[in-house]
Amino acid sequence: MLVFERGREGRGLSLIPACDVELVMPEKSDKRKRALHLPELSESELCRHYTDLAKECYGVNDGFYPLGSCTMKYNPKINEDMAALPEFTEIHPLQPEHTVQGCLEVMKTAEEYLCEITGMKRMTFQPAAGAHGEFTGLLLIKAYHDSRGDKKRTKIIIPDSAHGTNPASAVMAGYSVVSIPSGEDGCVDLEKLREAAGDDVAGLMLTNPNTVGLFDKNILEITKIIHECGGQCYYDGANLNAVMGMVRPGDMGFDVIHLNLHKTFSTPHGGGGPGSGPVGCKEHLAEFLPSILVERGEKLSFVKPRNSIGEIKSFYGNFLIVVRALTYLMTLGREGVPQVSGNAVLNANYMMHKLKDCYTIAYDGVCMHEFVMSLSDLKKKSGVSAMDIAKGLLDNGIHPPTMYFPLIVDEALMVEPTETESKETLDEVIAVFKKLYKTAERDAGELHAAPVHTPVTRLDEVGAARHPVLKYEFSK
Ligand SMILES: *Cc1c(COP(=O)(O)O)cnc(C)c1O
């Protein structure tokens, strides 16, 4: 129900205090033609309205949220306390730098920590999301080749197990995409990679672990092949939750990386809220960054490097997300960072092994932070699809995994439990998955009809995407 539908005309709007200064009416031409349409309801009704809405939402604070490739982990509340400090929130982006030294120090320290974790030399916090970081990283690669007078490189190689944003970013940056198929084992096909590598290749973008949850075992060979043909290696580090503190993309031969602070480094996300996709690079690309923090005497200052690609976002980027990330890293400490990754990988493997006896695992073996199941066998035998199982999970109070992605797996469900779930929670969810499998075998109709216990039942998702109704029509 909308707030307008709850209100009753004549109840009044008591929240706005009476005007105690002389009223000056606007010119007729500036006046609105119709009265302003505002809902009239009491404070208690208003509170109930928003509480009701909140109850219809689902988030990490409500329960299990295994949305693969999204790292919906629990975000410690202390991060919010730090990001709410007035010293961080009540600054203005145009304030002179000597008055915001503390904020710059936050960025400098976060840069140092994240460079240490990734094996990179410098980092920019300007990009507002992962995909924005990819675009920025590709511009660095382009600027690098251009600066050497090497203009013949027009292609970016992207394995088909990459995140969907990778090819989109490459095209945005003006490149054409060469897609490399994965082998039987879910890793990059090295022969195909060698065939594609040449002097028209600007670089490679590798999502690692890839979207089937695997760490590419040939990673050193992959970066070697690309460097030998004169290309640069880009690491999509949005999934760093599986490897941080364990191995460093810089040591694997990558030249540039983006991270998703709003995944691995603990900022609530979903619903399109602000994100942060910092880009780190090796020394040879640093001169192209949008801006870098330098120490001048005792003071920190942003400078634009010599051959900068220019600003890609206003001011400092989404600064408060950097505050959350730094808080998170300082709380974890040197020992805690690899422990997070270890537990993320352990939880994913635990679930995968427990589910193996009924669900088909797309790529058997050890997974990283997530795994992919294929429900195509179940669909053939019972008519129950990945979508139906996802809807059945909703009825059990569980957020579904990512569905129908990656595209290279038929009837895919991509499960990422994250490290912040207990064994008890995992066991409960495993039991629900198994129960749904039995239901599918017994009574497919029950799952075709799901969900029945949610605020809205099965929606016309294609209709919602094709003909979205984004506007409310008042009845009068
Ligand atoms: C989430 C994700 C992205 C894109 O990040 P956004 O912040 O949504 O733009 C890119 N690559 C991978 C591997 C991801 O998981």
Side-chain angles (χ1 to χ4, degrees):
M1 188 186 256
L2 294 179
V3 72
F4 290 98
E5 294 162 332
R6 276 191 183 236
R8 283 292 168 274
E9 206 177 324
R11 195 156 289 169
L13 288 163
S14 58
L15 290 177
I16 302 172
C19 181
D20 59 356
V21 292
E22 192 194 337
L23 278 176
V24 179
M25 299 312 279
E27 296 291 321
K28 187 158 184 285
S29 59
D30 293 335
K31 274 190 181 165
R32 39 186 322 123
K33 296 189 176 56
R34 287 185 289 150
L36 184 61
H37 195 91
L38 289 174
E40 298 183 38
L41 66 177
S42 66
E43 189 174 323
S44 64
E45 289 169 309
L46 198 63
C47 288
R48 285 180 189 161
H49 174 69
Y50 286 108
T51 306
D52 282 349
L53 286 182
K55 283 188 203 152
E56 288 185 7
C57 294
Y58 188 92
V60 176
N61 288 343
D62 295 291
F64 195 59
Y65 206 134
L67 196 64
S69 201
C70 293
T71 313
M72 304 301 283
K73 60 163 89 178
Y74 172 74
N75 305 291
K77 299 293 172 267
I78 188 175
N79 299 354
E80 297 305 312
D81 293 346
M82 295 305 113
L85 290 175
E87 288 80 357
F88 295 138
T89 57
E90 290 176 14
I91 55 167
H92 191 280
L94 291 175
Q95 228 170 295
E97 275 178 336
H98 73 270
T99 65
V100 289
Q101 286 295 305
C103 297
L104 299 189
E105 201 179 320
V106 165
M107 282 191 271
K108 187 87 182 78
T109 312
E111 178 183 352
E112 279 164 16
Y113 286 8
L114 292 170
C115 281
E116 178 62 31
I117 288 172
T118 55
M120 294 292 156
K121 185 75 183 172
R122 295 299 322 231
M123 190 165 277
T124 172
F125 289 108
Q126 277 202 348
H132 198 193
E134 292 168 26
F135 178 66
T136 308
L138 288 163
L139 292 186
L140 297 183
I141 291 177
K142 191 172 227 170
Y144 168 78
H145 291 307
D146 283 352
S147 75
R148 294 153 52 94
D150 190 352
K151 311 247 180 207
K152 60 189 177 303
R153 299 184 184 268
T154 55
K155 294 179 181 159
I156 293 282
I157 298 178
I158 304 179
D160 64 1
S161 59
H163 195 266
T165 48
N166 292 184
S169 301
V171 171
M172 287 277 291
Y175 286 112
S176 58
V177 173
V178 183
S179 179
I180 298 287
S182 305
E184 289 280 294
D185 57 0
C187 294
V188 174
D189 184 329
L190 287 183
E191 276 319 302
K192 295 269 169 19
L193 181 65
R194 281 198 190 92
E195 280 167 28
D199 64 4
D200 56 350
V201 168
L204 159 105
M205 290 180 91
L206 193 77
T207 301
N208 189 65
N210 63 21
T211 56
V212 293
L214 300 178
F215 190 105
D216 204 301
K217 60 182 191 289
N218 302 314
I219 203 146
L220 295 175
E221 189 61 25
I222 291 171
T223 54
K224 189 162 159 251
I225 293 171
I226 296 302
H227 283 151
E228 276 173 4
C229 80
Q232 292 283 292
C233 296
Y234 184 97
Y235 191 98
D236 180 335
N239 291 338
L240 213 71
N241 216 40
V243 298
M244 64 170 171
M246 303 279 191
V247 284
R248 309 195 314 164
D251 299 339
M252 303 171 208
F254 288 87
D255 305 287
V256 52
I257 183 174
H258 86 263
L259 304 173
N260 275 34
L261 296 190
H262 50 287
K263 288 179 183 166
T264 315
F265 299 95
S266 175
T267 272
H269 58 287
S276 178
V279 168
C281 65
K282 295 260 177 80
E283 182 88 61
H284 66 283
L285 295 176
E287 63 178 288
F288 308 109
L289 282 169
S291 54
I292 47 174
L293 262 176
V294 295
E295 257 164 287
R296 282 201 180 125
E298 297 277 278
K299 298 259 183 292
L300 286 166
S301 183
F302 267 114
V303 296
K304 193 174 262 191
R306 208 154 35 100
N307 295 318
S308 171
I309 57 167
E311 309 282 298
I312 49 107
K313 172 117 174 57
S314 51
F315 308 113
Y316 305 151
N318 287 327
F319 168 65
L320 292 175
I321 297 187
V322 182
V323 175
R324 289 180 177 91
L326 183 62
T327 307
Y328 182 63
L329 285 172
M330 291 183 120
T331 328
L332 287 175
R334 169 72 186 81
E335 296 75 23
V337 170
Q339 216 175 349
V340 162
S341 295
N343 287 344
V345 171
L346 178 63
N347 279 0
N349 278 284
Y350 179 74
M351 267 194 88
M352 182 176 81
H353 282 273
K354 289 281 179 181
L355 289 174
K356 233 178 189 170
D357 51 357
C358 45
Y359 290 90
T360 310
I361 307 301
Y363 297 91
D364 221 356
V366 179
C367 69
M368 289 285 113
H369 60 302
E370 64 191 359
F371 62 95
V372 180
M373 308 194 289
S374 168
L375 276 72
S376 68
D377 289 345
L378 181 67
K379 190 175 176 187
K380 272 186 215 117
K381 110 178 146 186
S382 69
V384 167
S385 64
M387 174 74 91
D388 295 327
I389 294 288
K391 298 294 184 191
L393 288 169
L394 287 173
D395 268 340
N396 286 274
I398 296 169
H399 194 285
T402 296
M403 305 179 294
Y404 298 100
F405 187 82
L407 303 175
I408 51 178
V409 176
D410 194 32
E411 289 294 321
L413 284 182
M414 182 195 217
V415 185
E416 179 179 6
T418 82
E419 75 285 1
T420 56
E421 299 298 340
S422 66
K423 178 172 179 294
E424 289 71 27
T425 303
L426 298 182
D427 285 337
E428 280 166 29
V429 174
I430 290 161
V432 171
F433 264 106
K434 290 189 168 176
K435 181 181 83 179
L436 293 175
Y437 195 92
K438 289 216 177 74
T439 309
E441 290 179 315
R442 193 190 67 234
D443 179 9
E446 192 180 320
L447 285 169
H448 292 320
V452 293
H453 300 307
T454 43
V456 285
T457 51
R458 197 171 289 218
L459 300 170
D460 174 1
E461 288 172 15
V462 176
R466 295 276 182 274
H467 310 287
V469 181
L470 304 172
K471 197 169 98 199
Y472 181 69
E473 296 288 352
F474 290 113
S475 54
K476 51 167 191 155

